[in-house]
Structure formats: C-alpha cells, structure tokens
Amino acid sequence: MTMKTLKIPDHISNISPYVAGKPIAEVEREYGIANSVKLASNENPLGPSPKALEAMGEAIAKVHRYPDEPGYELLNRIAAHLDVQPEQVVVGNGSDEILGLLSRALLQPGDEVIIPSPSFLMYTIVAQTAGAKPVVVPLKKMAIDLDTVLANVTPKTRLIFVCNPNNPTGTVVSENLFSGFLEALPPDVVVVIDEAYAEFVRDDKSAKGLGYLESKTPVVTLRTFSKAYGLAGLRVGYGIMSKDMAELLNRVRMPFNVNSVAHAGAIAALDDKDFLNKTVELVHQGLDMFYDELARRQVRFFQSQANFFLIDVAREAKQVFEQLLRQGVIVRSMQGYGYPEYIRVNVGLPQENEKFLAALDSVLGLK
Ligand SMILES: *Cc1c(COP(=O)(O)O)cnc(C)c1O
C-alpha cells in the first residue's frame, strides 16, 4: 500500500502538522551539549505540585480499574473552584482534546472558522480537520483585533478563536471590547476563549470567558493543567460552557478520555493553592527581571500577560535560536509564526533565566 492509492480527503492532505518544541534529551544528543535549559514550551519550571505527585502515586496502584467516567470527582472539583455547575464542564486529554471535540461537534466542510494570526497553531488544524475554511485575521499592534474579526463574520462563520492571553504575543483583549464584540455577533456563532495562561494575567481589565456562560452568543472557555499547574505531560484540560454545549461535546467525546492518574493529579493540583501562588509569583518576578535587564541592554521586547514573552533579536530568529541551542538554551523561533526576527522565551527558574541572558548576550554580542 502507498498513501497514493488511498483517497485521502484534500482538506486532510493540506494540513501542516503541528511542530512541538523539541524534547531536551533529543536536543542535547543532537548538539552534543548537557545541562541545557528549556524555555520553549511555556511549561512550569518548578515541576509538578508535590501534592499532585503524591496523589498520582496512590492512583497508579489502582490502574487495573477504568477511570471514573465522565470524571465526577474532577468535574465537581473544577465546578466548585470556578463557581459553575459540574454539567457546564467537559474535561479533555489536554485542552487540545476539547478543541478536537469542538471541531467534531460543530463544524462541517465549507464552514468558516475565524482565526486571529499569529496565535496558537492548533486552531488552524482544528478547522482543517473538519474541512472547514480557516479565515485568518492579522493581529493589530500584536493584539487580537476584534473589530476586524467581526468584519470577517459571514453567514458561514461557525467558530471564532480568541486566545486570551494570546500565544505567542502575550496580549489580552479587554473585557469592555470583548463584551461589545459578543453583543454584535449573530447567535449561531460559537466563540472559544482559550485561557491557557489565565492564572498569570496581571491586567485586571482583561476579558474573562466565565462571565459569559449565559450570553446569547455561546462562549466556550478553555483552561488547562499544563501551564500554571505544572502538569503538561499528564494531559488534562477542560472547557466551561452552557449545559447544552457540554451535552453536545460529550456526544463526540470518547469515554475514559482522561486517565485515572490524571484525574487524581489534577484534583490534587487544584487543592494545592500554595504551589499555584508560588508559580505565579515566580513568573511575575522573572518577567519583571527580564524587562529590566533587556531594557538596560536596549533590546526590544514585548510585555506579556502570560508566562512567556517575545524578544525582537533584530536578526534572523532561526539563527539566534540555533546559536542559543549551542549554548544549551532552548527557546522558540517565531519565524514560522510570521515574526522572522522574534524569539519566544518562557520564564524559568532564576538560574535558568540567568543562563538565557548570558547566552543571549554572547549571541547578540552585547557583552
Ligand atoms: C499550551 C496551550 C494550551 C494547552 O494545551 P493542553 O492541550 O492543555 O496542554 C492551549 N492553548 C494554548 C494557546 C496554549 O498555549
């Protein structure tokens, strides 16, 4: 058999696969380096919460049993945490899986999906998987431009993605503009507000999806345990939405999609407020340190509401990325995102941040 003999739908052949940040071990092998620092995937540098680790240790002894389905304990715990009903929550194998459920439940070939750009690359894949057409709306001054998004709505528009804070720019849309935007939309469009970095937001004017559970235009809010909660490898995320929308997504969700160890880890992580506070504080201190240090060096950067930010390296980002790699620091080149001279860096531990700054100094010839 060759793939050529199969009748693969064009909309599937046309998908460019998602490229994740390289694992540390592979980069170290490839470049012959050791003790490298990964600041490329917006992960939590503190590791998982100790309470989550303990709970997962206990859960692993019971993996001969199927998980709680649909995950009553986790659903109840999330609902209590956010002051919503458990029936308004759907958990997924990462919030990525919720994106997949939205695609399967809401889209058909020919539909349009509005995707601000640059933003999270998965949104395009989600649209294309269903044969829907991604309608790309450029950012304005590094931020999602809700007016232009609105101007692109047609009778075929089914889904609109708003990444808040936006990955990779770290900007937020204001509550004010977001509520006006929702008012102006027809009721047959679903707005997905992806709040993967909500815990890090310091701008109190930022829009919050949870305020719109009852709005006439359906709003689905996405959250994840992968970033502030330090559980990226465990794969747990969730969506908060109306009960009707949750019922719809549950129709296309596979049973047992979140494993029992992940249930236990996520529940314990939600209870570990100290760990979350420590994480958020570490990120804010790290960002402020970076802003000061880069300003002192007269290197241009963009302030961010997330745990990562963009730096304008004023030369080809891919080259800077390669040179940083040789010094044992892994960041993300933004070349593939339409920013040929920017890199994205997430906050690490203080010593990791220092190592990055020293490597950047050497690569950019600053010291
Ligand atoms: C990291 C990230 C996610 C989280 O994905 P998971 O599948 O929950 O790990 C979602 N959206 C954005 C914008 C992200 O950057």
Side-chain angles (χ1 to χ4, degrees):
M1 184 210 82
T2 71
M3 292 303 281
K4 289 205 178 70
T5 64
L6 301 176
K7 294 188 169 53
I8 308 293
D10 284 344
H11 63 266
I12 301 297
S13 310
N14 289 339
I15 295 176
S16 329
Y18 181 80
V19 182
K22 281 188 189 175
I24 293 183
E26 186 171 329
V27 172
E28 292 190 337
R29 226 174 11 249
E30 208 173 300
Y31 284 79
I33 51 175
N35 304 319
S36 63
V37 161
K38 186 184 179 201
L39 304 176
S41 297
N42 310 334
E43 295 151 341
N44 190 326
L46 293 172
S49 125
K51 287 191 179 158
L53 275 182
E54 194 187 322
M56 289 189 284
E58 286 168 25
I60 209 158
K62 298 177 198 152
V63 290
H64 59 302
R65 301 288 181 201
Y66 275 100
D68 166 11
E69 162 62 35
Y72 289 104
E73 201 183 342
L74 179 56
L75 291 176
N76 278 307
R77 193 62 198 76
I78 292 168
H81 173 65
L82 300 174
D83 197 18
V84 299
Q85 303 291 311
E87 298 81 11
Q88 292 175 308
V89 183
V90 177
V91 290
N93 199 262
S95 50
D96 281 354
E97 189 188 12
I98 311 291
L99 294 174
L101 300 182
L102 287 162
S103 166
R104 267 191 275 164
L106 299 172
L107 299 177
Q108 16 184 4
D111 287 347
E112 291 176 5
V113 178
I114 302 186
I115 303 173
S117 174
S119 193
F120 192 41
L121 297 175
M122 280 304 297
Y123 305 149
T124 307
I125 296 178
V126 162
Q128 289 174 317
T129 304
K133 179 179 160 203
V135 175
V136 174
V137 173
L139 302 189
K140 192 166 160 186
K141 292 189 183 145
M142 314 291 285
I144 293 175
D145 174 12
L146 293 176
D147 285 337
T148 310
V149 168
L150 205 52
N152 277 276
V153 172
T154 76
K156 290 184 177 167
T157 308
R158 294 278 76 86
L159 212 54
I160 298 176
F161 286 105
V162 177
C163 190
N164 199 55
N166 187 45
N167 179 5
T169 55
T171 52
V172 289
V173 299
S174 74
E175 187 76 63
N176 222 350
L177 291 180
F178 188 67
S179 66
F181 166 72
L182 289 180
E183 283 297 314
L185 282 174
D188 59 353
V189 174
V190 176
V191 174
V192 178
I193 179 161
D194 185 346
E195 300 187 340
Y197 302 95
E199 295 82 1
F200 303 110
V201 172
R202 285 189 270 189
D203 179 351
D204 54 20
K205 291 193 191 69
S206 173
K208 292 172 202 70
L210 286 185
Y212 302 96
L213 276 171
E214 309 295 332
S215 81
K216 99 181 141 54
T217 294
V219 175
V220 174
T221 304
L222 300 184
R223 297 277 185 95
T224 182
F225 286 93
S226 297
K227 309 289 158 56
Y229 290 95
L231 298 174
L234 197 63
R235 314 303 304 128
V236 197
Y238 56 97
I240 311 106
M241 61 207 83
S242 69
K243 288 183 190 180
D244 288 348
M245 183 69 73
E247 198 266 336
L248 192 69
L249 296 199
N250 276 321
R251 289 187 203 187
V252 294
R253 183 181 60 80
M254 299 290 166
F256 313 116
N257 59 324
V258 175
N259 70 70
S260 52
V261 178
H263 277 149
I267 291 164
L270 268 185
D271 285 332
D272 197 348
K273 294 237 164 50
D274 287 346
F275 179 80
L276 180 67
N277 292 339
K278 207 166 122 187
T279 298
V280 171
E281 199 177 315
L282 180 90
V283 164
H284 290 166
Q285 284 173 355
L287 282 175
D288 292 344
M289 182 280 296
F290 276 136
Y291 299 163
D292 285 349
E293 290 292 327
L294 292 169
R296 213 158 53 76
R297 289 162 168 81
Q298 298 188 313
V299 171
R300 188 164 168 249
F301 62 91
F302 299 88
Q303 294 207 7
S304 161
Q305 296 295 318
N307 63 344
F308 56 81
F309 71 116
L310 294 179
I311 301 176
D312 179 354
V313 289
R315 65 204 72 185
E316 207 186 326
K318 216 171 133 218
Q319 253 169 6
V320 173
F321 160 80
E322 291 272 342
Q323 288 166 326
L324 288 170
L325 263 188
R326 279 191 208 105
Q327 309 235 5
V329 181
I330 313 169
V331 301
R332 194 69 80 97
S333 158
M334 288 289 106
Q335 210 144 330
Y337 285 70
Y339 294 134
E341 299 196 336
Y342 297 176
I343 55 171
R344 193 192 67 197
V345 181
N346 70 258
V347 175
L349 298 172
Q351 62 271 29
E352 295 175 324
N353 301 339
E354 291 302 326
K355 180 164 175 172
F356 163 73
L357 277 177
L360 189 74
D361 283 341
S362 127
V363 167
L364 298 185
L366 295 171
K367 274 195 181 154

